[in-house]
Amino acid sequence: MSAVIALDSVRKTYEMGDNSVHALDDVSLTVEQGEFVTVTGASGSGKSTLMHILGCLDKPTAGKYFLRGEDVSDLSPADLAVIRNKQIGFVFQGFNLLPRTTATENVEVPLLYSRPLMSAAERREKATEALDLMKLSDRASHHPNQLSGGQQQRLCIARTIAIQPEVILMDEPCSALDPIATAKIEELISELRGQYTIVIVTHSMQQAARVSDRTAYFHLGKLIEVGDTKQVFTNPLHALTQDYI
């Protein structure tokens, strides 16, 4: 395996008046091809800042971020936009679906931007395949307001995988869902393991234990511990991790 994501001594500092807030403090982390990594920790631990940097929505104050071996730390906003468009898929808490378009059309929209040379027939084929993977074929002509919360989130995942990104970033994808919908989402994203490199942020330790290969625990901007998920949960190496679990 080769590292798709590599953070080297990354810092992110915000100036708040006379004070400096270290949202990320000397973080080094790698994620290999096809890995499923969970990032967890309390509020204010740096999880969201990490996701913004991994998603090329923000730049580190110091350190380097390599995506597929390319240093993207100092790229221009235009170059970062191209990377976000083609190489990174996002799944957020909020669904951000287009309310007046069908499920199929919602999946097709990102393809218009990321794959501009793709024909309409090819876009429809990709959208249909993604909906099928997310068990939404029977909802292809439905609008978002005709779908349950769980179905809307599955539609978001279908929209993401249709562009076949290098990396899928998920930010609390099940936080607004009931246990049944959550279980269905977890089952489906587990089926993506190995096909995509996935990083998921979650407060739910139970979810981390169920779905991920490795777990990274953050505390006050520092990466405290990262390792095999089973090991982190059954035999954490750091007292802070043990206290959180």
Side-chain angles (χ1 to χ4, degrees):
M1 292 193 296
S2 59
V4 174
I5 289 169
L7 300 179
D8 183 10
S9 302
V10 163
R11 295 178 183 270
K12 184 63 182 180
T13 303
Y14 297 100
E15 301 301 329
M16 310 290 287
D18 294 331
N19 298 318
S20 296
V21 177
H22 302 294
L24 290 177
D25 190 0
D26 197 28
V27 172
S28 294
L29 175 69
T30 60
V31 181
E32 305 294 332
Q33 173 71 41
E35 266 198 309
F36 196 143
V37 174
T38 293
V39 176
T40 192
S43 296
S45 61
K47 302 187 304 298
S48 294
T49 302
L50 175 73
M51 292 294 268
H52 287 162
I53 289 176
L54 293 182
C56 295
L57 295 167
D58 203 353
K59 296 182 181 182
T61 305
K64 297 292 185 180
Y65 170 27
F66 297 93
L67 181 63
R68 271 286 185 211
E70 179 185 4
D71 182 1
V72 300
S73 311
D74 298 316
L75 292 183
S76 69
D79 288 336
L80 290 175
V82 171
I83 289 174
R84 289 195 302 271
N85 199 23
K86 295 181 179 293
Q87 294 180 252
I88 300 172
F90 297 93
V91 179
F92 298 108
Q93 289 175 268
F95 306 133
N96 300 317
L97 296 166
L98 299 174
R100 298 183 181 180
T101 60
T102 66
T104 299
E105 291 164 342
N106 264 281
V107 176
E108 288 179 326
V109 166
L111 291 168
L112 289 168
Y113 300 97
S114 65
R115 306 291 187 269
L117 300 181
M118 185 177 284
S119 69
E122 289 172 322
R123 287 196 300 273
R124 182 56 52 94
E125 182 180 0
K126 286 290 185 184
T128 299
E129 290 173 356
L131 290 171
D132 184 54
L133 284 172
M134 289 297 109
K135 305 295 189 287
L136 286 172
S137 296
D138 60 340
R139 298 290 188 269
S141 62
H142 286 55
H143 289 75
N145 64 1
Q146 297 173 302
L147 303 176
S148 68
Q151 289 169 338
Q152 289 186 60
Q153 191 60 291
R154 280 189 273 149
L155 178 55
C156 293
I157 298 171
R159 181 178 59 184
T160 296
I161 64 176
I163 67 170
Q164 297 180 299
E166 291 277 352
V167 175
I168 297 177
L169 303 176
M170 298 185 176
D171 188 3
E172 297 282 2
C174 301
S175 63
L177 304 180
D178 62 54
I180 294 175
T182 295
K184 185 66 174 178
I185 294 286
E186 290 179 358
E187 175 188 344
L188 290 170
I189 61 177
S190 292
E191 292 177 7
L192 301 177
R193 179 184 278 108
Q195 302 176 56
Y196 296 93
T197 302
I198 301 174
V199 180
I200 179 172
V201 163
T202 180
H203 284 96
S204 171
M205 303 301 282
Q206 294 85 356
Q207 185 173 80
R210 287 192 296 263
V211 302
S212 61
D213 301 313
R214 288 195 299 148
T215 295
Y217 171 62
F218 280 75
H219 178 74
L220 297 179
K222 291 183 177 294
L223 176 56
I224 301 301
E225 183 169 348
V226 60
D228 176 84
T229 293
K230 183 177 180 180
Q231 174 265 309
V232 170
F233 278 85
T234 60
N235 187 30
L237 302 178
H238 199 286
L240 283 171
T241 314
Q242 187 171 4
D243 290 343
Y244 186 74
I245 293 172

